[in-house]
Amino acid sequence: MTDGSIAQREWRVTGMDCGACAAKVRGAVERLPGVADVDVALMSERLCLTLDKNETSPERIEKAVRGIGFGISPKGAQAERPKGGFILPDDAVIGGTAASPQAHAPEEMPDPAWYQTAKGRLVLGSGALLAMAWASRLVLPAEVSHWAFVVATLIGLIPVARRAFAMARVGMPFTIEMLMTIAASGALVIGEPEEAALVVFLFAVGELLEGVSAGKARNSIRALTKLVPKTARLEVGNKTREVAAEALSVGQIVQVRPGDRVPCDGEVVSGTSGVDESPVTGESVPRLKEPGADVFAGSINTEALLRIRVTKVAADNTIARIVRLVEEAESARAPTERFIDRFSRVYMPAVVGMAALVAVVPPLVFGGAWGEWIYRALALLLIGCPCALVISVPASITSALSTGARNGLLMKGGAVIEAAARVTDVVFDKTGTLTHGKPRVTDVQVLVGNEADLLALAAGVENGASHPLGQAICGAAEARDIDPAAATQSRALPGKGAEAVIAGATICVGSPRLAAERGALSETLRAQVETLEAQGKTVVIVLRDNEAQGLIALRDEPRADAAEAVAQLNALGISSVMLTGDNRRTAAAIAEGLGIDHRAELMPEDKVAAIQNLTAEAKVMMIGDGINDAPALAAAHVGVAMGSGTDVALETADAAILRDRVTDVPGQIRLARAAMGNIRQNIAIALGLKAVFLVTTVLGITGLWIAILADTGATVLVTLNALRLLFFRSTTAERLAEPGCRPTTHATNETTV
C-alpha cells in the first residue's frame, strides 16, 4: 500500500564515458534509502529509478550524482554539464558530451571539440606544465626542476583526487581515480616526481580518448533521431502551412515533395512515387509507394508529390521506437557482462591486496629496498585497474545494437545478442515470413451454382477477416465486382477456417481437413484438392450445411531471397525448418523450392510443441510475423518478429527485422557472432596486456609510466576494437569478403515464381 510517494523518476546524466562511469552513478544512488530498480544507460545518458520521496528527495539524488563529478538534470529540463577538472568554466563538459535542451533530444546541441571539454583542457594544461617542467631541467638547477615536476603532478592530480574521495565517501573506494591518486602521491613521496607527472598526463590523455570514443558511439545512435525532419507541410483546407513535425496529430494530411524526408509514419492518400527507406531500414532500393501504402518517418521521397495521412504521433513513429528500443536494450545486459561485473568487484580489491604484499613482503622477509618495492607496488596498482575489462562487453554490445538499428536489425540487448550468436537451428513460419504473406486466388472450381455465387458466399464469411487467405478471397471477389453475401454469427475456427450464417444456412470456408471431419470430402473432391496442392497451392472448400459447394485455390509466392537465406544459414552451419499450418503437399512444394525441411498441418499449439522439442537439444531462433506466432516466438531461445516496422515487430519478440528480407536472418546471426567475437577479442586484450605487465612490473622491468600507458592503451584498444562493429556489414558480399569464407554451391532453386 502506498500514498503516492513512490514513483518512477528519470534524469539525464552527462559525463559518462564507459561502463565504469555508469557503475559509479549506479553505486552513488542505489545506496540511498527509498531507491530501487536503478537503471543507468551509458549511451542514452539516462538514469531511471523507482524513488520513495518520503525517504529520499529527487534533489538528494541529483546532489549525489553531482558529488561524484557528473552532470544531472531531470528528464525534459535543460541538461547541465558536470564541473571539475583543470581550470573548468561553468559550461565545461566532462567526456566530450554536450548537453541538450531535452533529456531525450541530445542531438539538439552538437558535441564540442575535444579541446573545449574539461578533460581536453586538463590534457592541455597538464601537458603544458609537464613540458615546462622538462624545459626547466635544461636551464635550472635540479632542485628547482624537481619542484616543477611536483607542481605539475599536483595540479593535474587535484581533480582526479577530488573524484576519488567523492567516490570513497559513497562507499566505492576501489576506483581508478583512487588508484591513480595513491600511485602518483606515492611516487612523489619516494622521490619520483618526473614519473608522477608523466603518469598524471597519460591518465588524462586516456580519459580524454575514452570520452571521444564514447561520443562517437553515442553519435551513431543520435544520428537516428536526426532522420526525421523538424517541420512538415500540413494541409489546412486548400492551403498548406509549415508546422513542427512533432505537433502532427493522427489523421492529418501532410504533403511531401520530391527530395523531402517524410515527417511522420503514415499512409499514402494520393500520389505514386519511389521512396528511399534506407535511412530507416537499410534497404538500398527505393520502394514504390501508391495510395494505401505505409511510409516511415525519415524515409526520402524521390520522385513525385505524395499526400500522406498521419497514422502515428512523433513520439510513437518508427524512428522514435527504434531509438527507444536501442536505449532500453542497454539495460538487458549479456550474461558475459554480468559475470565480468561480478569478477571486477572481487578483482579490484585483490589487486590492491597484492600491491600491498609486493610493497611489504620483499623488504620485510627478504631485505629488499623499501623504495624499490613500493615503486613496483604503485605500478602494480595502475596495471591492475579493470577499466578495460569492464568496458570490453558493453562497448561491443552498444556498437552492435547501433549497427543493427541502422540496418533494420533490432535486438533487445546484450542477452539477445549472446543467445543469437549461439543459435544452431532456425525455425521459420511460412506465411508472411518465407512467403510474402499476400496470397492470391489462382483457381475457383464450382460444384454447385456459379463462380459469382461461390465467391459471394466465401467473401461473406471472410468479410473483415485478418487472415491473409481470407483477405485474398475478399480481394478476388472485389476485383470481380462481386458483393459479399450478408452474413451473421461469424466466427473463426482456429487452424481450420471460418464460418457464418448466410440466408439461414451455415456457410463454412475451411481446409480440406475440416471438410473431411464434416464428411464433405468425396474421393473426387479429394483428387481435385491433391492436384492443386501438388502445385504448391493452398485449397479451401466452401461448405453449405456441410455440403461442398466448390473450392478455391490460392498461392502465396515465396520471397525472392528465401532460398538464398536458407543457403546462407547452411553455410553458417545452421539447420533450418519451416513450420506451417498449411497442408503437407503445399508445404512440401514450397519447401522443396527453398531447400528447407518442413513440418505441415500444425495447429498453433503444435508449433509451440515442435519448438519446445527442438530447444531441448539445440539453440533455436524462431522467425515469425510477430502477431500470429507470438506463442512460438516466446518458446524459442530467440524470437524474431519479421515485419516492416509494425508495433508487434518492434515490441513483442526478442528481436525484429524491419526489412522484409529473409536474408536478414543470417545477417542478424552474423552480426551477433561478430559482436561476441569482438567481445572475446576485447577480453583477451584487457587480460592479456595486464598479465604481461603485471609480471614485468613485479620483476622491475616496467615502471609507473609504462603501467599507466598499458592501462590506458588497453582501454583505448578495447574501445577502438568495439567501434569497428559500427562499420560491420552483414550482407552476402561482406560475408564472402571475410577471410576463410567461400561462396556456397548449394542448389537453391532460386527461380522466382
Side-chain angles (χ1 to χ4, degrees):
M1 183 174 179
T2 66
D3 58 0
S5 61
I6 300 177
Q8 194 84 5
R9 300 273 181 162
E10 190 170 335
W11 290 266
R12 183 184 177 210
V13 177
T14 55
M16 297 188 294
D17 297 335
C18 64
C21 294
K24 291 171 187 175
V25 173
R26 186 182 303 111
V29 300
E30 67 184 1
R31 290 174 170 80
L32 297 175
V35 173
D37 305 323
V38 179
D39 176 34
V40 182
L42 173 65
M43 288 298 106
S44 56
E45 301 179 303
R46 186 183 73 249
L47 166 63
C48 187
L49 51 82
T50 301
L51 179 66
D52 185 348
K53 64 181 180 183
N54 288 338
E55 296 192 50
T56 297
S57 66
E59 291 75 19
R60 188 176 175 189
I61 297 289
E62 295 171 8
K63 182 179 180 181
V65 174
R66 291 190 192 101
I68 57 173
F70 298 95
I72 183 172
S73 57
K75 177 183 176 181
Q78 177 69 36
E80 65 176 38
R81 299 169 179 181
K83 301 178 177 64
F86 181 80
I87 317 178
L88 282 181
D90 286 345
D91 64 345
V93 180
I94 288 181
T97 302
S100 72
Q102 296 180 349
H104 284 291
E107 75 279 5
E108 295 297 331
M109 187 181 296
D111 284 346
W114 67 267
Y115 53 82
Q116 296 175 319
T117 67
K119 290 185 177 181
R121 294 181 181 183
L122 180 59
V123 167
L124 294 175
S126 58
L129 290 171
L130 182 61
M132 291 169 59
W134 270 329
S136 69
R137 293 184 58 182
L138 302 176
V139 296
L140 297 175
E143 294 80 5
V144 177
S145 62
H146 171 91
W147 286 106
F149 283 109
V150 171
V151 171
T153 300
L154 292 176
I155 292 178
L157 189 60
I158 287 173
V160 178
R162 191 165 56 211
R163 294 202 302 272
F165 288 112
M167 295 302 302
R169 282 197 300 271
V170 297
M172 289 181 284
F174 299 108
T175 61
I176 179 58
E177 290 84 2
M178 183 61 76
L179 298 187
M180 265 299 305
T181 301
I182 295 172
S185 301
L188 291 179
V189 170
I190 63 176
E192 297 287 349
E194 184 174 346
E195 285 212 47
L198 182 58
V199 163
V200 169
F201 171 69
L202 291 175
F203 177 76
V205 171
E207 291 278 281
L208 175 65
L209 291 176
E210 281 185 14
V212 172
S213 298
K216 289 185 179 299
R218 191 174 285 128
N219 286 340
S220 68
I221 296 176
R222 289 177 181 171
L224 288 171
T225 62
K226 296 179 180 179
L227 294 176
V228 182
K230 302 300 180 187
T231 61
R233 290 170 53 84
L234 176 66
E235 286 190 2
V236 181
N238 296 324
K239 299 181 180 179
T240 61
R241 63 186 177 91
E242 198 167 88
V243 299
E246 63 183 14
L248 293 174
S249 301
V250 174
Q252 292 181 321
I253 305 295
V254 297
Q255 292 184 2
V256 183
R257 298 168 298 189
D260 287 351
R261 287 188 183 273
V262 178
C264 59
D265 277 14
E267 178 184 329
V268 176
V269 176
S270 65
T272 300
S273 178
V275 173
D276 179 5
E277 295 180 343
S278 61
V280 184
T281 67
E283 176 61 70
S284 58
V285 180
R287 304 183 71 169
L288 183 67
K289 299 294 181 179
E290 300 175 309
D294 294 328
V295 291
F296 301 141
S299 54
I300 303 169
N301 183 18
T302 61
E303 298 170 2
L305 180 72
L306 291 177
R307 295 176 64 245
I308 296 170
R309 179 182 294 109
V310 180
T311 57
K312 290 186 175 69
V313 296
D316 198 36
N317 66 35
T318 302
I319 292 290
R321 283 180 289 151
I322 291 173
V323 172
R324 210 156 47 232
L325 186 148
V326 174
E327 290 177 350
E328 291 168 358
E330 290 185 67
S331 304
R333 299 193 296 167
T336 303
E337 183 180 357
R338 291 195 294 269
F339 169 77
I340 287 178
D341 280 351
R342 292 194 300 270
F343 173 75
S344 64
R345 292 172 190 171
V346 178
Y347 169 83
M348 194 81 153
V351 167
V352 173
M354 185 185 300
L357 292 176
V358 168
V360 174
V361 172
L364 290 180
V365 178
F366 303 106
W370 281 96
E372 177 185 345
W373 285 100
I374 289 176
Y375 178 86
R376 294 184 187 184
L378 295 175
L380 189 63
L381 279 179
L382 297 180
I383 285 290
C385 173
C387 280
L389 185 61
V390 169
I391 199 176
S392 60
V393 179
S396 298
I397 293 297
T398 300
S399 295
L401 290 173
S402 177
T403 296
R406 288 201 320 273
N407 291 279
L409 309 174
L410 305 182
M411 289 179 278
K412 294 185 177 179
V416 175
I417 289 177
E418 192 161 330
R422 297 198 301 266
V423 163
T424 59
D425 291 69
V426 171
V427 176
F428 289 98
D429 174 53
K430 179 177 76 71
T431 305
T433 303
L434 289 174
T435 63
H436 289 285
K438 296 179 179 179
R440 60 184 181 84
V441 173
T442 59
D443 301 87
V444 178
Q445 296 186 7
V446 181
L447 301 177
V448 178
N450 56 54
E451 181 177 306
D453 291 340
L454 184 69
L455 283 175
L457 289 175
V461 173
E462 299 288 2
N463 194 23
S466 60
H467 194 279
L469 294 179
Q471 292 176 341
I473 290 172
C474 292
E478 182 180 355
R480 293 167 169 80
D481 292 324
I482 298 172
D483 294 328
T488 60
Q489 302 179 35
S490 300
R491 70 187 185 99
L493 305 173
K496 298 179 181 180
E499 68 179 13
V501 175
I502 297 176
T506 299
I507 307 299
C508 176
V509 179
S511 65
R513 180 172 52 179
L514 179 61
E517 290 176 2
R518 298 191 176 185
L521 191 63
S522 66
E523 289 303 318
T524 302
L525 186 57
R526 187 189 301 275
Q528 290 177 276
V529 169
E530 290 176 356
T531 300
L532 292 168
E533 288 180 346
Q535 300 170 20
K537 297 174 182 177
T538 300
V539 179
V540 296
I541 299 176
V542 181
L543 306 176
R544 181 197 295 269
D545 291 332
N546 295 333
E547 293 292 332
Q549 304 297 295
L551 54 81
I552 301 173
L554 307 95
R555 182 174 171 97
D556 185 10
E557 306 296 355
R559 295 183 187 273
D561 65 337
E564 171 60 20
V566 173
Q568 289 186 30
L569 289 171
N570 290 338
L572 291 171
I574 296 173
S575 301
S576 306
V577 62
M578 178 183 76
L579 303 184
T580 179
D582 215 337
N583 66 83
R584 298 183 188 279
R585 294 181 186 84
T586 299
I590 297 291
E592 183 179 356
L594 300 179
I596 188 174
D597 291 335
H598 70 283
R599 299 179 191 176
E601 298 184 3
L602 299 178
M603 300 292 284
E605 58 270 23
D606 297 329
K607 290 185 181 181
V608 174
I611 290 176
Q612 288 173 338
N613 291 335
L614 280 173
T615 55
E617 302 175 353
K619 298 297 182 182
V620 178
M621 174 182 282
M622 167 69 186
I623 318 295
D625 63 12
I627 301 173
N628 301 323
D629 301 306
L633 292 172
H637 291 109
V638 181
V640 180
M642 186 170 180
S644 300
T646 63
D647 290 340
V648 176
L650 288 172
E651 294 165 9
T652 55
D654 301 309
I657 293 174
L658 294 189
R659 300 181 292 196
D660 288 328
R661 282 188 185 177
V662 190
T663 49
D664 277 349
V665 174
Q668 195 158 47
I669 293 173
R670 280 194 291 271
L671 176 59
R673 289 184 176 183
M676 294 310 299
N678 192 276
I679 286 171
R680 288 190 287 270
Q681 294 165 6
N682 282 348
I683 293 174
I685 291 170
L687 293 180
L689 283 175
K690 289 187 184 302
V692 170
F693 285 99
L694 280 172
V695 173
T696 58
T697 298
V698 172
L699 295 178
I701 299 173
T702 53
L704 277 176
W705 72 273
I706 290 291
I708 191 63
L709 192 61
D711 176 69
T712 299
T715 302
V716 172
L717 283 175
V718 162
T719 304
L720 292 178
N721 189 48
L723 290 178
R724 287 193 309 114
L725 287 171
L726 294 175
F727 306 100
F728 179 83
R729 295 292 178 268
S730 60
T731 62
T732 305
E734 175 77 11
R735 175 176 63 87
L736 296 179
E738 292 172 359
C741 199
R742 295 179 177 85
T744 61
T745 56
H746 294 274
T748 57
N749 266 340
E750 293 185 318
T751 303
T752 301
V753 181

